[in-house]
Amino acid sequence: MKTFLACLLVLSVSVSMSNASCYFLPLNPVKRGDEIIGCYDMKGEPHEFNTHWKTKDCLECSCSNSGISCCTAYATPVNFDEEKCISIFNNTACAYEVVEKADHSKTCEVHEWVG
């Protein structure tokens, strides 16, 4: 039980210290008559207020009455053996895998993740 609590504490601290990459787009209003009902994203797609979506570029976005905010939906490995291992991004899973350079079927230990 102590080990579980220690792991939970480490996880909660690491999540709060993460450094996700985010951006904000000011409101480009979607109108229905005189009523503003949502936002247009960078591709010109309309989104209603208080909606959330994930892009094909692995961003999690939301529309509010002030605009659209998007953040990366994945963490980046930053502390692993770079001589022996390589990080590979899986676009389908929106996640990095850290594997041995010589044998991609073997995973490597990662000590820190950012994002």
Side-chain angles (χ1 to χ4, degrees), residues 76-98:
T76 303
V78 292
N79 187 359
F80 60 93
D81 184 351
E82 293 187 39
E83 288 183 28
K84 179 182 173 186
C85 305
I86 186 169
S87 65
I88 300 172
F89 190 72
N90 180 329
N91 229 9
T92 305
C94 292
Y96 278 97
E97 294 180 48
V98 181

Side-chain angles (χ1 to χ4, degrees):
M1 184 65 174
K2 288 181 182 180
T3 304
F4 174 73
L5 291 175
C7 290
L8 194 57
L9 176 64
V10 169
L11 180 62
S12 66
V13 170
S14 64
V15 169
S16 65
M17 292 174 41
S18 69
N19 185 17
S21 175
C22 300
Y23 68 87
F24 179 78
L25 297 172
L27 180 64
N28 181 4
V30 174
K31 294 184 177 183
R32 184 179 323 149
D34 290 335
E35 181 185 14
I36 298 174
I37 60 166
C39 318
Y40 284 105
D41 64 19
M42 289 189 344
K43 294 182 178 181
E45 305 255 342
H47 300 276
E48 291 185 14
F49 288 136
N50 302 315
T51 58
H52 303 269
W53 65 96
K54 195 172 196 177
T55 70
K56 69 177 183 173
D57 301 328
C58 299
L59 295 172
E60 291 180 348
C61 300
S62 63
C63 171
S64 71
N65 59 0
S66 56
I68 291 179
S69 65
C70 295
C71 294
T72 54
Y74 55 88
T76 303
V78 292
N79 187 359
F80 60 93
D81 184 351
E82 293 187 39
E83 288 183 28
K84 179 182 173 186
C85 305
I86 186 169
S87 65
I88 300 172
F89 190 72
N90 180 329
N91 229 9
T92 305
C94 292
Y96 278 97
E97 294 180 48
V98 181
V99 295
E100 289 185 7
K101 291 178 181 178
D103 184 354
H104 287 194
S105 69
K106 295 182 181 177
T107 60
C108 296
E109 185 176 6
V110 178
H111 302 286
E112 288 180 75
W113 296 82
V114 176

